Amino acid sequence: MFDPDKYRSVTWLKGGRVYPELDCFGIVNEIRSDLNLPLWPEFAGVTKDNDGLDREARGLMSELTKCDPAPGAGIACYSGGMVTHVAIVVDIGGSLYAAECNPKSNVTFLPLSRFERRFVKVEYYQ
């Protein structure tokens, strides 16, 4: 069962992959681990800089399957034609939320409909 309280201590860190210092991709793998799902590649050192997030996300997405929102599904978020953010779907109290990690706000859980409005396009992958 997913425990959102664990993530209240997370601090956003650019390139963060080790709990409790995580970035948007770091939170995805941390939650996948907590849900007993297979981890995705670590992408150590990959950030938005030099389009690294877009490049690596597209490579990973080519190996995954598009799906409807479901707990554990990764979320690719587009601004323009590029992947600029990633998040993961979690179930909290029977409702689906996007779990994300950002500078200043650290970890947040937003209802999917509210989360999706922030981007040009979102896609879900398993």
Side-chain angles (χ1 to χ4, degrees), residues 27-44:
I27 194 79
V28 170
N29 255 353
E30 186 68 25
I31 290 175
R32 287 184 66 79
S33 173
D34 288 349
L35 295 176
N36 295 314
L37 296 170
L39 297 183
W40 289 340
E42 185 177 307
F43 298 123

Side-chain angles (χ1 to χ4, degrees), residues 61-113:
M61 290 171 356
S62 72
E63 300 172 14
L64 301 173
T65 304
K66 267 190 184 180
C67 64
D68 290 327
I75 310 171
C77 308
Y78 292 81
S79 296
M82 297 180 62
V83 177
T84 58
H85 188 50
V86 293
I88 186 167
V89 178
V90 295
D91 181 321
I92 301 174
S95 296
L96 297 181
Y97 290 79
E100 64 176 332
C101 193
N102 287 302
K104 298 181 184 169
S105 60
N106 298 311
V107 175
T108 56
F109 302 99
L110 292 176
L112 290 180
S113 60

Side-chain angles (χ1 to χ4, degrees), residues 1-2 15 22 28 31 38-39 46 68 76 79 85 93 99 115 124-125:
M1 176 139 171
F2 177 73
L22 303 169
V28 170
I31 290 175
L39 297 183
V46 173
D68 290 327
S79 296
H85 188 50
F115 178 81
Y124 298 88
Y125 288 89

Side-chain angles (χ1 to χ4, degrees), residues 37-64:
L37 296 170
L39 297 183
W40 289 340
E42 185 177 307
F43 298 123
V46 173
T47 65
K48 290 182 192 181
D49 297 342
N50 301 315
D51 302 329
L53 177 61
D54 181 63
R55 182 180 56 254
E56 298 302 333
R58 288 175 186 274
L60 177 60
M61 290 171 356
S62 72
E63 300 172 14
L64 301 173

